[in-house]
Each structure stands twice: as C-alpha cells, then as structure tokens.
Amino acid sequence: MAAAGSAVGLGNIWGFPTQTASNGGAAFLIAYLVLAFCLAYPALMAELTIGRHGQANAVSSLRKISNTPLQKRFAFVVGFGGIICAGLILSFYAIVAGWMISATVEPIATLAGSDTASTWLSEQSLSRNMIFTAGFIILTVAIISRGVEHGIEKWSKRLMPALLSILFALIVYVMMQEGAMTGLKAYLVPDFKSILDPELLVSALGQAFFSLSLGTSVMIIYGSYISKKENLVSLGAYVTLIDVFIAFVAGLLIIPAMYVAQAQGVEIFSATGELLSEDTLVFQVLPALFDGMGTIGLFVGFAFFALMSIAALTSSISMLEAPVSYAVERFTMSRVAATWLIGVVIALVSFTILLNFGSLFGLVIALTTKFGQPILGLMCCLFVGWIWYRNSLLNEIKQGCPEVATSLFWKIWPWYIKFICPIAIGLVFVSSIVG
Ligand code: PHE
C-alpha cells in the first residue's frame, strides 16, 4: 500500500488528465494504457526486485548485483542519477502540491467570509506559491525525518477508497451537466491516426513512468522495505492496476469537466483549439465545477483538494526518501540532519523554479519525466536482464512466490525486460528525435 501511495498522486489527477487533454484525448489514453502495462509494469518489477534483493538504498542495491568494476560504476550512475531525478521531481511537485493545499484552504476562507483571503488563495502569485511550496516541503521533511515505516501504510490504505469514492461521486454529478457528453467522447473515442505520433508516444511513456514512480530509485528503496514473504509479482501488478485505474477514473472526471466549464463560459481552449493554460487546467476546471454546486460545493471542494494534498504527500515522502536513505547509509549521517539538509536544497531549487517559472517549470518536468525517468528505468531493465545472474534473480522472486519458476510470468518477463523493454523504449526516443 505504501508503494501504491507513492504511485498514486498528482501524476494521476493533475498530470494524466492534463497530458490527455493536450495530446488529443482518447488516442493518448490508449497509448498510455498500452505503455503502462507493457513497459512500465515490467520495469516496476525490475526495480522492486532489485530493491528487495539489495535490502539497501538504490546505489548499494544495484552494486550488489553488479559483477565487475565497470558494472559497479554503472550501478552508481543509475542509482545516483535516480536520486537526483527524484530530488528534481520533488522540486516541481512541491509547487503543484502547494497549489493543491491552497485550493484546500480557499473554501475555508470563503466560508469565513474573507474575500481578500479567498482571492489571494485562488490566484497565482509569487507570495502564495512560495509560502505553500515551502509549507509542503516542511510537511514532507517532518514525516521523513521520523522514518518512513510509521504511518505511510495506514494513510495510503485509507486514501485510495476515499479518493475513489469522491471521484465517482463527482463523475456522476459532472455527467448530468451540459457539455459533459462532448468531453466523454473526446476522452473515449480515439482518433487512431494520432496514436503513433512520436510526440504523443514520448509523452505517454513519460507519464506512465512518472505515475509509477519509476527511474527515480524510489521503487528500488520501497522494494527493499518489502518482506521476503510477499509475492512480488502480484504486488507489482496490484500497484500498477490501482495506479492506472485511478488515473483513468480521474480522466473520466476532468476531461468532461473541462467541457462543462467551457459550456459555462470558462475559457479552456484558444481559438486554434489549444489548451490555454495546461499546468493550471485542473485548478480552473474543478473550482468552476464546485462553484456551480452552491454552498455544498465549498465542502466538496475542501474534501477533494484535501484528499489530493494527502495523495501528493504519500508520493513526495517517497521522493525525499530516495536521497535521504542514500545519505544516511552512505555518509552515516543522522536521519534528521540528512532530511533537513536535503529538504533545504530542494526548497532552494523550488524557489528558483518559482522565480523563473516561465522558463524552468516546463523544462524541469520535461527533463525529469520525459527523459530522465524512462531512460533510468530502461537502465534498471538492462541491469536485471543482462547483468544479474538468472539463478540469483529467480531465487529472489521465488521468495514469497515459490511457484514462479513454472509460471507464465517467468517464461515471459526475463527475456521481455532483456530485449523488448529496452528496444521499445529506445524506439520511442529514436522516433521522437527523427520525428
Ligand atoms: N508517482 C507519483 C505520482 O503519480 C509521482 C512520483 C514520481 C513519485 C517519481 C515518486 C517518484 O504523483
């Protein structure tokens, strides 16, 4: 459940619907589903298995399966690269999570009758963004400095059903509004011509890896916390299913809600049909929906954004755990000192992004999620496929799943991550460069 908590986050409710809306709707959905199950799930299995075998941070776990000095150096590059990637992701993630928290507080200000506060909370400004980004990072640091074991699982367990219930209730409401059916069609009826568009494929691949927290060493670390009694094969499958399902359901709410908002006069698309403000789409569309509900909308808005903030937190703690677990194990630093130190560095990067929002925000997202994550995830597949001895790999997976040697999974997965995943991920990149 903690791994699912890491996977389910802003990637599902902010990233996925925004990407779907700006990449042609249903065509993106199909590419995403195929890539999530066919490339991201096998890569997730590779990372979880490396971690459970290594019982340590990403660099040490990858080193443990390396056999030569060159491979050990490669292990450092991949593990440390993932840690940097996780830190950079956290620096933009905290900004978006800050928007979620301010959207949670805004209905309270409105209920209290403070117009100035509610306007400040709902409009983009440097002061608001700085305060809420810092607040979110402090929350993450406070949790991680106490050690991850405590509480994450409990939160994640309660979070998923609560999140799904509110999403379903909102979907029923949205479907009754004018414009929703146009949105539903855009989400579910694909234009097959654009499915193989290289740009769309790179975005869908990046989104799938982002949503499953891959290529950041996070799933290696979480793998190291999984007991040897657990069945890794089904555990990985559950995490993927929960994550993809929540993203799909979020799309079912947000894409129709865009069209409902448009029917109510909110400007969503430009004259040429492009999205006007991608990053803040969710923060325009959903409040417009809640406003239409009257006073009850204030409570619904509060509940929705509060749940989103918790979902963001169960993901951000996994990101911060990546550099912290490395620093604690490698430099024998105290957990509290390491967490605060790294937290300050990440906050400084976040502030730099906020101060240069136009040029840095999109750039950091593209660098980490479109390129960093799939490429580092691919390297983990290479590790398991080409470097790790087959018998040792099988012995690891057998623990908690003794029948795996004769299963379909074991017949397909080892050669799949050896050949298919690297070639497919490579092809997506080559086609996007050539395209
Ligand atoms: N998977 C998380 C989400 O969907 C984001 C994340 C990325 C978490 C990388 C950890 C590492 O929001």
Side-chain angles (χ1 to χ4, degrees):
M1 284 315 283
S6 164
V8 174
L10 302 181
N12 306 61
I13 280 138
W14 167 77
F16 173 73
T18 312
Q19 294 264 4
T20 308
S22 51
N23 281 294
F28 183 86
L29 170 67
I30 294 187
Y32 173 76
L33 291 177
V34 171
L35 294 174
F37 288 116
C38 297
L39 294 183
Y41 167 66
L44 170 68
M45 283 308 300
E47 293 197 16
L48 288 176
T49 317
I50 292 171
R52 196 177 68 169
H53 181 71
Q55 291 292 307
N57 68 72
V59 175
S60 311
S61 293
L62 284 162
R63 279 213 163 124
K64 194 167 168 185
I65 52 173
S66 311
N67 311 303
T68 64
L70 193 69
Q71 290 173 358
K72 286 202 194 300
R73 219 169 293 156
F74 183 43
F76 177 79
V77 172
V78 177
F80 198 72
I83 290 168
I84 299 287
C85 194
L88 278 176
I89 290 178
L90 181 52
S91 67
F92 78 75
Y93 205 83
I95 296 174
V96 183
W99 296 342
M100 290 286 170
I101 300 183
S102 61
T104 312
V105 185
E106 194 268 335
I108 303 176
T110 308
L111 266 180
S114 170
D115 282 350
T116 354
S118 94
T119 314
W120 181 75
L121 286 162
S122 55
E123 281 175 1
Q124 288 286 344
S125 69
L126 192 60
S127 61
R128 182 200 75 165
N129 290 345
M130 289 254 191
I131 290 172
F132 282 99
T133 301
F136 184 78
I137 294 177
I138 291 173
L139 261 178
T140 308
V141 165
I143 298 175
I144 283 295
S145 63
R146 295 201 180 130
V148 241
E149 302 82 1
H150 310 297
I152 296 185
E153 211 161 25
K154 236 186 282 153
W155 278 103
S156 301
K157 239 180 228 164
R158 290 186 193 134
L159 179 72
M160 311 294 164
L163 208 55
L164 277 173
S165 321
I166 199 159
L167 282 174
F168 279 122
L170 287 173
I171 288 169
V172 171
Y173 176 79
V174 158
M175 289 306 155
M176 295 186 303
Q177 310 296 311
E178 195 195 320
M181 287 307 141
T182 323
L184 198 61
K185 236 166 94 194
Y187 186 47
L188 297 178
V189 183
D191 164 15
F192 285 104
K193 275 194 284 329
S194 52
I195 285 185
L196 291 179
D197 170 11
E199 233 343 271
L200 181 145
L201 287 178
V202 177
S203 301
L205 184 70
Q207 178 58 36
F209 272 65
F210 177 66
S211 200
L212 278 174
S213 315
L214 299 175
T216 55
S217 83
V218 161
M219 287 301 180
I220 298 186
I221 296 163
Y222 273 32
S224 77
Y225 300 146
I226 296 172
S227 136
K228 298 272 184 192
K229 288 195 211 94
E230 295 289 343
N231 179 338
L232 277 182
V233 180
S234 52
L235 190 143
Y238 284 137
V239 172
T240 311
L241 279 174
I242 293 176
D243 187 54
V244 171
F245 185 65
I246 294 189
F248 175 75
V249 174
L252 222 41
L253 166 68
I254 287 160
I255 308 292
M258 275 168 58
Y259 288 80
V260 171
Q262 201 185 23
Q264 291 168 351
V266 179
E267 268 192 277
I268 303 283
F269 297 104
S270 69
T272 53
E274 316 245 292
L275 274 183
L276 279 177
S277 47
E278 284 187 20
D279 305 325
T280 49
L281 174 78
V282 169
F283 301 93
Q284 282 178 323
V285 163
L286 291 176
L289 192 75
F290 301 141
D291 274 352
M293 295 177 179
T295 315
I296 189 140
L298 292 174
F299 296 95
V300 179
F302 170 80
F304 180 84
F305 285 116
L307 283 174
M308 276 321 302
S309 306
I310 299 171
L313 206 55
T314 57
S315 298
S316 66
I317 49 185
S318 73
M319 289 171 216
L320 186 59
E321 181 64 10
V324 167
S325 69
Y326 179 70
V328 168
E329 287 166 25
R330 171 76 174 74
F331 304 110
T332 45
M333 278 173 103
S334 84
R335 176 169 267 274
V336 177
T339 316
W340 282 99
L341 189 72
I342 294 166
V344 168
V345 174
I346 287 171
L348 290 176
V349 180
S350 292
F351 288 165
T352 312
I353 297 178
L354 277 173
L355 289 167
N356 303 279
F357 194 82
S359 51
L360 286 186
F361 186 70
L363 181 71
V364 175
I365 296 182
L367 273 182
T368 50
T369 65
K370 265 194 191 170
F371 300 101
Q373 290 194 276
I375 290 170
L376 290 162
L378 175 147
M379 308 250 176
C380 290
C381 291
L382 294 180
F383 253 100
V384 174
W386 293 90
I387 295 177
W388 198 346
Y389 291 127
R390 256 305 178 103
N391 272 345
S392 161
L393 171 62
L394 179 59
N395 282 339
E396 182 55 52
I397 301 189
K398 257 187 180 167
Q399 301 183 54
C401 183
E403 66 288 353
V404 78
T406 53
S407 70
L408 188 64
F409 176 82
W410 186 251
K411 284 196 189 92
I412 297 176
W413 182 70
W415 70 263
Y416 195 89
I417 49 165
K418 193 167 179 165
F419 297 108
I420 306 283
C421 285
I423 292 174
I425 296 174
L427 271 181
V428 170
F429 281 109
V430 171
S431 72
S432 94
I433 292 164
V434 174

